[in-house]
C-alpha cells in the first residue's frame, strides 16, 4: 500500500460615433492594438464611405433610399417603405444566423434522443460558455454518454459480492488492492491510499450471543435458537447479560414509546422488541435506552419486508444486521481522526448505547410475540406475523413470572482501514474538487449495499479518464474514493473528514455517495442537501429512465402524478453515506437510490444480498439502472467541474428560514407572554436573504470569464453549507453541528419541537433552554449572512 498522501498538494484614438458603427470601432481598435496598419486604414475608408452616403447626390438604389428616409428626404415613400421592411428582415435573419452559429456549442436547451428533440429545462445554468479549445457542456454530455458502458457493471458487481468482505479480512484487503490497481491503470493524475486503524466490533467467536426464556429465579426454561449467530449482529451494541419482561413497541419511534407509556405498559426495566423500518437501528436503540429499556430485539415483519421466498422475499429464518452507533466514524475517537488513535486520551462517543441490542429473524420474533400477554397494540401497529395478536406485554402467557434474558458478547478490535483515492486535476482551480465515493466493505456479500456502488464508481472513473484523454479539461478536480468500514457507520469516510476538517470547506465543492444506489428500477429517491436540488433536477431532465424508454427520469416521474420536490428530494439520513459530509463537515452532499415502491428489495444487510438475487429482483436490468445512476452523477459532476460559477443553489436556505419564521409568528402571543421575542431571528433571516440576493445579482452582472473574480465568488458559494455549522457547540460532543441537518439541541428541528410544547404541554416548556436554542440559531444564521455578504468590516450588515 502507498503511504498516506494529500491531494492538495498600446492606445488608439476612438473613431467618431457619427461615422463608424460600434462594431467597426471595436474591430478598428483591435487592429490598432495589434499593430495592423491595414486594419486601421480600412476603418478610415469605411468612415469616408458613410460620410459620402449622407450627401444629396447619391445614386438611386436601396442604400440611397434608406439614407433618404433617415435624413427625412423622401422620394418615393411607398417604395422606401418596401425597401425598409425588406432590409429589416434581411438584417434580422442575418443576426439570427450569426447568433446561432456563434452559440450553437453552448445551446443545450434541447437534446436529441432517439431521433426526437427532448426539451430540457436548464434554467439553473448560470454559465454555459467555454474558452477557445475547451469543449462545450453539450459536447461533454454527449461524450459522457458515449464513454459510459454498462457491459462490465454486472460482472463487477458479481466479482465484488462473491463472498463477505468485512474490513481487515483477506477478501476485503484483496478487493482494496484490486481497486487501487484499477485506478493506477487509468493513469489519472494522482492515486494513493489513506490507511489508519479504527475500533470495530464483531461477534465473538468464542462466546456467541444468546436469547432465552427464564423463570423468576433466572433458571433457563427455553433456549431460543438463533439462526446464523455469527452472521447477524448489531455492531457497537452494549455488551453483557440483561433480563426483563418483553414489551412490543412497534418501530421504536419516540411517539411509539410515549404511546406505550400512556397505555400503562412501561418500557423501563424491560426488553423491548421492535420492527425493522422507519428509523435506523441506532435511533431505535437510542430511543429504547432513553425510555429505560434494558435491551432491544429488532426483527423484520412481513408487513415491512417481503418474506415469501417464492416471490423473492426474505427467508423467515434470516435476521437483518445494522450498526447501532448513533453517529458516524470511530466511536472511540469522536470528533478527531484515528490516524494514530493511541495518541489520544481514552474517550468514547456519546452516541454509543450502553444496552445490548440483537437482530432476530421473523421466526424468533413470532415465537416470542405469540407468548405475549397484556393489552392488544393499536390497530396501526399490527404486523403480518402468522398467529400473533401483537399484544404489548410485558408479561408472558404462562403468568408465572417468566422473563426474557438477552446476552450480547461482541468484541472490539483495532482494524487497519484502507481508503483508496484517485483524482483528475483541474486546469483552472485544481484545489477545488468534486468528490464521488462508494463503500467497498460488507460483512455479508453486499451486492446492493456496496458492490453496485463500487462498480458505478469504477465506471465513472474510467469514463472521466477517457474523456480527459479525448479533450475534456475540467476547471476543477474530480476525486474518486473507495471507502472502507462503511458498514460500521461510514467509519473510513468520517475519519478522513475529521483529519481534514479545517480545510475541507475551502476545497470540497460537493460529495456524491453511490451507496445502495440500485434497490429497484422504478422510482428515484434523492437524499440531498438543498444546495444540490436544482442541479439534480436538471440532470433528471437529461437522463433517460432505465425502465421506460423514450422518457427522461423527470418526465416519467411527472407522468406518475409526482411533481418536482417532495417526496423526490428528501433530507439526508443518519445511515446515508453522504450524511456526515453535510451534517459534520459542511459539504453539500447527495445520495441517489432507485427503488421499487410497491415491493422493496428485502435482502440488504443480510447474507442473501447476492448479485444473482439482485439481478433476478431487477429482472436482469441491473446494468441499465446502474448506468442511469452513473449518468446522473456524471452529469452533475460535469456541471460542477465545468461551469465558471459553481452551480450551487445558495439562496435556497432563505426559503427554509422563512418557513421557520412563519412558524415562530404563529406562537408570537405565547412568546410575548413570557417576554420572548423572535425579532432577532427575523432580522438574521432577512439579512441572509438580502445577502444571497445581492450575491446572485452581482454574479449575473459580472464577467464570469475573469478567473480572479470568479474564484472569489466561488469561494463564498462553496462555504455556504459550512456557514450553517454551529460554531457554538463542540465538534467532539456534538459532531453533527449543522443547524438544519444536524442532531442536537442546537438544531432547528429541536427548537421547533420545543416550541410546540407552548401549546401541547406548556408545563414542559423550558424558557432558559429555549432562549439558548434561539440564540444559537440566530447567531449561526447571522454569521452565515455576514459571511455570504463578504463584508468583513461591518459586523452589523444592513445590506
Amino acid at each position: 500500500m502507498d503511504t498516506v498522501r494529500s491531494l492538495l498538494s498600446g492606445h488608439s484614438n476612438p473613431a467618431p460615433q457619427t461615422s463608424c458603427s460600434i462594431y467597426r470601432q471595436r474591430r478598428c481598435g483591435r487592429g490598432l492594438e495589434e499593430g495592423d496598419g491595414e486594419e486601421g486604414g480600412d476603418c478610415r475608408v469605411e468612415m469616408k464611405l458613410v460620410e459620402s452616403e449622407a450627401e444629396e447626390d447619391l445614386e438611386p438604389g436601396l442604400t440611397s433610399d434608406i439614407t433618404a428616409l433617415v435624413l427625412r428626404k423622401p422620394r418615393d415613400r411607398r417604395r422606401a417603405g418596401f425597401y425598409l421592411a425588406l432590409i429589416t428582415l434581411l438584417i434580422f435573419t442575418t443576426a439570427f444566423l450569426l447568433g446561432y452559429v456563434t452559440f450553437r456549442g453552448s445551446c443545450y436547451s434541447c437534446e436529441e434522443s432517439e431521433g426526437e428533440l427532448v426539451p430540457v429545462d436548464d434554467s439553473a445554468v448560470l454559465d454555459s460558455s467555454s474558452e477557445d479549445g475547451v469543449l462545450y457542456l453539450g459536447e461533454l454530455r454527449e461524450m459522457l454518454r458515449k464513454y459510459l458502458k454498462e457491459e462490465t457493471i454486472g460482472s463487477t458487481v458479481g466479482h465484488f459480492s462473491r463472498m463477505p468482505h468485512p474490513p481487515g479480512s483477506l477478501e476485503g484487503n484483496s478487493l482494496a488492492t484490486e481497486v487501487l490497481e484499477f485506478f493506477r491503470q487509468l493513469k489519472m493524475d494522482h492515486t494513493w491510499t489513506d490507511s489508519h486503524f479504527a475500533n470495530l466490533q464483531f461477534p465473538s467467536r468464542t462466546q456467541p450471543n444468546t436469547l432465552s426464556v427464564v423463570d423468576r429465579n433466572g433458571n433457563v426454561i427455553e433456549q431460543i435458537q438463533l439462526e446464523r449467530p455469527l452472521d447477524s449482529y448489531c455492531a457497537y451494541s452494549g455488551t453483557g447479560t440483561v433480563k426483563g419482561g418483553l414489551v412490543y413497541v412497534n418501530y421504536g419511534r419516540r411517539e411509539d414509546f410515549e404511546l406505550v407509556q400512556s397505555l400503562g405498559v412501561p418500557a423501563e426495566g424491560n426488553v423491548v422488541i421492535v420492527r425493522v423500518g422507519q428509523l435506523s437501528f441506532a435511533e431505535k436503540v437510542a430511543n429504547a435506552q432513553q425510555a429505560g429499556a434494558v435491551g432491544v430485539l429488532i426483527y423484520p415483519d412481513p408487513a415491512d419486508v417481503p418474506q415469501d421466498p417464492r416471490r423473492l422475499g426474505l427467508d423467515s429464518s434470516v435476521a437483518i444486521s445494522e450498526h447501532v452507533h448513533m453517529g458516524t466514524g470511530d466511536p472511540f475517537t469522536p470528533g478527531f481522526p484515528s490516524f494514530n488513535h493511541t495518541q489520544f486520551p481514552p474517550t468514547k462517543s456519546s452516541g454509543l448505547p450502553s444496552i445490548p441490542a440483537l437482530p432476530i429473524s421473523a421466526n424468533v420474533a413470532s415465537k416470542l410475540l405469540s407468548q405475549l400477554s397484556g393489552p392488544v397494540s393499536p390497530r396501526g401497529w399490527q404486523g403480518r406475523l402468522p398467529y400473533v395478536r401483537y399484544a404489548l406485554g410485558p408479561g408472558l402467557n404462562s403468568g408465572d413470572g417468566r422473563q426474557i434474558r438477552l446476552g450480547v458478547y461482541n468484541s472490539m478490535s483495532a482494524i487497519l482501514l484502507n481508503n483508496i483515492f484517485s483524482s483528475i486535476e483541474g486546469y483552472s482551480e485544481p484545489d477545488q474538487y468534486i468528490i464521488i465515493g462508494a463503500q467497498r466493505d460488507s460483512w455479508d456479500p453486499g451486492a446492493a449495499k456496496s458492490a453496485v456502488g463500487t462498480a458505478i464508481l469504477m465506471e465513472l472513473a474510467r469514463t472521466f479518464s477517457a474523456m480527459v484523454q479525448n479533450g475534456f479539461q475540467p476547471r476543477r478536480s474530480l476525486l474518486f474514493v473507495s471507502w472502507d468500514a462503511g458498514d460500521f457507520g461510514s467509519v473510513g469516510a468520517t475519519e478522513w473528514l475529521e483529519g481534514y476538517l479545517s480545510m475541507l470547506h475551502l476545497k470540497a465543492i460537493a460529495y456524491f455517495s453511490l451507496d445502495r444506489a440500485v434497490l429497484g428500477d422504478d422510482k428515484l429517491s434523492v437524499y440531498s442537501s438543498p444546495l444540490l436540488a436544482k442541479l439534480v433536477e436538471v440532470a433528471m431532465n437529461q437522463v433517460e429512465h432505465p425502465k421506460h424508454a423514450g422518457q427522461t427520469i423527470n418526465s416519467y416521474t411527472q407522468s406518475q402524478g409526482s411533481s418536482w420536490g417532495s417526496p423526490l428530494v428528501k433530507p439526508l439520513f443518519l445511515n446515508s453515506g453522504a450524511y456526515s459530509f453535510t451534517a459534520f463537515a459542511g459539504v453539500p452532499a447527495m445520495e441517489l437510490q432507485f427503488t421499487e415502491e410497491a415491493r422493496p428489495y428485502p435482502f440488504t444487510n443480510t447474507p442473501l444480498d447476492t448479485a444473482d438475487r439482485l439481478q433476478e429482483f431487477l429482472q436482469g436490468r441491473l446494468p441499465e439502472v446502474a448506468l442511469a445512476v452513473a449518468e446522473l452523477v456524471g452529469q452533475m459532476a460535469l456541471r460542477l467541474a465545468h461551469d465558471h460559477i459553481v452551480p450551487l443553489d445558495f439562496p435556497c436556505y432563505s426559503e427554509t428560514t422563512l418557513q421557520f419564521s412563519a412558524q415562530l409568528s404563529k406562537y408570537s402571543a405565547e412568546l410575548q407572554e413570557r417576554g420572548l421575542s423572535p425579532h432577532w431571528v427575523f432580522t438574521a433571516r432577512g439579512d441572509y436573504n438580502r445577502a444571497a440576493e445581492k450575491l446572485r445579482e452581482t454574479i449575473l452582472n459580472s464577467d464570469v470569464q475573469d478567473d480572479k473574480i470568479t474564484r472569489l465568488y466561488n469561494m463564498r458559494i462553496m462555504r455556504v453549507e459550512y456557514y450553517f455549522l454551529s460554531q457554538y457547540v463542540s465538534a467532539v460532543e456534538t459532531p453533527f453541528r449543522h443547524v438544519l441537518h444536524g442532531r442536537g439541541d442546537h438544531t432547528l428541528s429541536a427548537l421547533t419541537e420545543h416550541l410546540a410544547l407552548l401549546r401541547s404541554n406548556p408545563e414542559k416548556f423550558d424558557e432558559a433552554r429555549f432562549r439558548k436554542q434561539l440564540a444559537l440559531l440566530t447567531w449561526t444564521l447571522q454569521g452565515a449572512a455576514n459571511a455570504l455578504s463578504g463584508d468583513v468590516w461591518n459586523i452589523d450588515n444592513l445590506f
Side-chain angles (χ1 to χ4, degrees):
M1 291 293 175
D2 294 344
T3 56
V4 179
R5 295 192 296 167
S6 173
L7 172 62
L8 308 176
S9 34
H11 302 278
S12 61
N13 295 326
Q17 290 281 349
T18 58
S19 304
C20 198
S21 68
I22 295 175
Y23 170 76
R24 288 169 180 159
Q25 288 182 43
R26 291 175 178 169
R27 186 178 175 202
C28 177
R30 284 197 300 269
L32 290 173
E33 291 171 356
E34 294 167 4
D36 188 347
E38 294 181 5
E39 185 76 0
D42 289 344
C43 185
R44 287 191 291 272
V45 170
E46 291 180 81
M47 290 166 57
K48 178 64 177 176
L49 288 174
V50 174
E51 289 171 355
S52 68
E53 290 172 354
E55 297 174 2
E56 294 183 3
D57 59 349
L58 286 169
E59 295 181 1
L62 182 62
T63 306
S64 61
D65 282 336
I66 294 176
T67 306
L69 285 170
V70 174
L71 297 178
R72 297 183 183 278
K73 294 183 180 181
R75 297 179 181 178
D76 185 345
R77 295 190 177 186
R78 295 181 64 182
R79 182 181 179 190
F82 169 78
Y83 284 129
L84 179 61
L86 183 59
I87 195 64
T88 302
L89 179 62
L90 288 173
I91 292 173
F92 174 82
T93 304
T94 303
F96 174 81
L97 291 174
L98 286 173
Y100 173 77
V101 171
T102 303
F103 298 102
R104 69 186 185 279
S106 60
C107 177
Y108 46 91
S109 60
C110 62
E111 293 200 355
E112 188 174 351
S113 177
E114 301 296 334
E116 297 180 356
L117 291 179
V118 180
V120 174
D121 178 13
D122 218 353
S123 58
V125 177
L126 294 176
D127 167 59
S128 61
S129 60
S130 176
E131 296 87 0
D132 292 339
V134 180
L135 294 171
Y136 289 99
L137 186 57
E139 296 172 302
L140 291 173
R141 282 173 169 160
E142 289 302 321
M143 184 183 287
L144 177 72
R145 293 189 185 100
K146 174 183 176 182
Y147 286 112
L148 276 174
K149 304 294 182 184
E150 66 181 49
E151 287 81 4
T152 61
I153 291 179
S155 59
T156 302
V157 172
H159 179 69
F160 274 77
S161 60
R162 61 182 184 263
M163 65 177 66
H165 46 283
S169 66
L170 290 176
E171 181 70 7
N173 292 336
S174 174
L175 294 180
T177 302
E178 288 185 36
V179 173
L180 178 64
E181 186 59 30
F182 176 83
F183 282 160
R184 283 175 173 166
Q185 290 176 356
L186 295 179
K187 297 181 179 179
M188 291 198 278
D189 294 310
H190 307 279
T191 298
W192 73 101
T193 63
D194 169 77
S195 303
H196 53 272
F197 283 92
N199 295 285
L200 308 181
Q201 192 187 64
F202 297 94
S204 172
R205 297 285 175 179
T206 59
Q207 191 176 10
N209 299 329
T210 62
L211 182 64
S212 57
V213 178
V214 299
D215 61 21
R216 65 177 72 251
N217 297 320
N219 299 315
V220 176
I221 297 175
E222 180 184 7
Q223 187 73 43
I224 307 295
Q225 184 65 39
L226 297 175
E227 297 100 342
R228 301 182 177 94
L230 295 180
D231 293 331
S232 306
Y233 80 112
C234 290
Y236 298 127
S237 163
T239 57
T241 303
V242 297
K243 67 176 181 177
L246 185 65
V247 177
Y248 172 60
V249 199
N250 198 24
Y251 292 110
R253 300 169 297 190
R254 276 192 291 179
E255 56 265 34
D256 295 336
F257 281 99
E258 291 170 359
L259 182 55
V260 165
Q261 180 72 28
S262 69
L263 294 174
V265 183
E268 186 174 1
N270 292 315
V271 175
V272 298
I273 181 169
V274 299
R275 294 156 61 175
V276 169
Q278 301 291 322
L279 302 176
S280 68
F281 282 25
E283 292 167 296
K284 296 175 189 291
V285 175
N287 292 338
Q289 181 171 310
Q290 187 176 11
V294 298
V296 184
L297 301 173
I298 307 172
Y299 80 97
D301 196 283
D304 308 300
V305 183
Q307 294 189 7
D308 183 356
R310 295 169 297 179
R311 299 182 61 244
L312 280 175
L314 187 68
D315 191 292
S316 59
S317 65
V318 175
I320 296 177
S321 300
E322 194 174 293
H323 78 88
V324 292
H325 174 214
M326 191 70 168
T328 60
D330 185 341
F332 294 93
T333 59
F336 48 87
S338 59
F339 293 142
N340 189 342
H341 64 282
T342 59
Q343 294 182 1
F344 295 100
T347 184
K348 67 177 183 178
S349 166
S350 59
L352 274 178
S354 59
I355 62 176
L358 184 71
I360 58 175
S361 68
N363 285 343
V364 173
S366 181
K367 181 177 294 187
L368 295 173
L369 289 173
S370 63
Q371 301 181 45
L372 267 185
S373 60
V376 178
S377 61
R379 184 173 182 178
W381 291 22
Q382 301 291 316
R384 295 179 185 169
L385 286 173
Y387 312 112
V388 173
R389 58 190 289 264
Y390 290 92
L392 295 178
L396 300 180
N397 289 331
S398 62
D400 57 359
R402 294 184 180 187
Q403 293 183 318
I404 298 297
R405 185 164 69 187
L406 170 64
V408 173
Y409 312 106
N410 303 336
S411 58
M412 204 74 65
S413 299
I415 301 297
L416 181 65
L417 308 184
N418 296 291
N419 297 327
I420 313 298
F421 294 79
S422 195
S423 69
I424 295 171
E425 192 169 307
Y427 76 92
S428 179
E429 299 171 277
D431 58 337
Q432 296 178 358
Y433 47 97
I434 300 98
I435 311 171
I436 303 172
Q439 167 187 339
R440 184 184 65 252
D441 67 289
S442 178
W443 59 48
D444 46 61
K449 181 170 57 179
S450 63
V452 169
T454 300
I456 296 174
L457 174 73
M458 295 169 71
E459 180 60 22
L460 281 170
R462 186 200 61 77
T463 297
F464 277 106
S465 177
M467 290 173 65
V468 168
Q469 294 172 22
N470 286 273
F472 174 39
Q473 298 181 39
R475 293 181 58 84
R476 303 172 189 93
S477 298
L478 292 162
L479 182 60
F480 304 91
V481 194
S482 176
W483 302 112
D484 208 350
D487 260 354
F488 297 81
S490 301
V491 175
T494 302
E495 296 308 308
W496 181 76
L497 289 174
E498 290 172 342
Y500 300 101
L501 184 62
S502 60
M503 64 191 302
L504 272 175
H505 68 284
L506 301 172
K507 306 294 183 183
I509 296 173
Y511 175 71
F512 296 99
S513 170
L514 303 174
D515 297 342
R516 296 173 291 276
V518 180
L519 300 174
D521 61 2
D522 195 49
K523 177 186 175 184
L524 177 69
S525 294
V526 179
Y527 301 92
S528 175
S529 160
L531 292 174
L532 297 169
K534 286 188 176 180
L535 191 67
V536 72
E537 181 181 5
V538 173
M540 288 172 63
N541 276 319
Q542 300 283 344
V543 180
E544 185 177 70
H545 196 286
K547 188 177 179 181
H548 304 280
Q551 297 186 65
T552 65
I553 295 173
N554 207 22
S555 64
Y556 171 73
T557 300
Q558 293 175 353
S559 71
Q560 299 303 301
S562 299
S563 59
W564 176 248
S566 181
L568 283 178
V569 176
K570 306 173 184 178
L572 292 165
F573 56 98
L574 180 63
N575 269 9
S576 162
Y579 181 77
S580 57
F581 278 82
T582 296
F584 173 72
V587 176
M590 177 185 293
E591 184 166 295
L592 303 171
Q593 287 183 2
F594 266 103
T595 60
E596 184 66 45
E597 194 167 22
R599 186 175 177 82
Y601 181 73
F603 304 121
T604 307
N605 291 325
T606 75
L608 305 181
D609 184 16
T610 63
D612 289 341
R613 284 189 176 88
L614 181 59
Q615 278 280 28
E616 186 179 357
F617 185 82
L618 296 170
Q619 298 180 341
R621 281 193 289 268
L622 172 59
E624 294 94 318
V625 183
L627 195 70
V629 175
E631 188 177 348
L632 277 170
V633 174
Q635 295 274 13
M636 290 185 282
L638 272 180
R639 283 286 309 281
L640 291 168
H642 168 272
D643 288 5
H644 287 270
I645 298 297
V646 174
L648 298 179
D649 185 23
F650 56 88
C652 68
Y653 284 132
S654 297
E655 179 63 26
T656 303
T657 53
L658 177 62
Q659 292 173 1
F660 173 67
S661 298
Q663 191 169 7
L664 268 181
S665 298
K666 296 178 181 179
Y667 292 87
S668 57
E670 290 89 342
L671 291 172
Q672 288 177 5
E673 289 177 2
R674 297 171 180 267
L676 299 170
S677 172
H679 168 73
W680 292 111
V681 174
F682 296 160
T683 300
R685 190 210 71 81
D687 285 352
Y688 182 85
N689 184 55
R690 287 185 287 272
E693 183 60 25
K694 182 178 179 181
L695 179 58
R696 189 187 68 84
E697 291 179 354
T698 302
I699 291 172
L700 290 175
N701 295 319
S702 298
D703 179 12
V704 295
Q705 305 289 338
D706 188 323
D707 284 345
K708 183 177 180 181
I709 293 176
T710 298
R711 184 173 179 83
L712 291 174
Y713 291 149
N714 285 337
M715 289 178 67
R716 284 159 66 182
I717 294 171
M718 284 170 56
R719 296 178 189 177
V720 167
E721 201 79 82
Y722 178 80
Y723 298 155
F724 284 91
L725 297 183
S726 177
Q727 304 301 310
Y728 309 103
V729 295
S730 166
V732 174
E733 298 175 1
T734 312
F736 303 128
R737 293 180 294 149
H738 202 292
V739 295
L740 302 178
H741 308 299
R743 292 176 176 271
D745 216 36
H746 65 288
T747 61
L748 179 60
S749 60
L751 193 155
T752 303
E753 185 178 319
H754 192 190
L755 181 67
L757 293 176
L758 280 172
R759 293 180 182 173
S760 63
N761 198 343
E763 294 78 14
K764 290 189 175 181
F765 183 81
D766 186 338
E767 184 175 317
R769 177 191 170 202
F770 184 79
R771 286 181 182 274
K772 181 179 180 181
Q773 288 177 311
L774 201 61
L776 289 176
L777 176 67
T778 300
W779 282 109
T780 301
L781 183 57
Q782 187 66 58
N786 295 341
L788 191 61
S789 73
D791 184 0
V792 299
W793 307 112
N794 186 1
I795 62 172
D796 253 345
N797 287 311
L798 299 178
F799 308 113

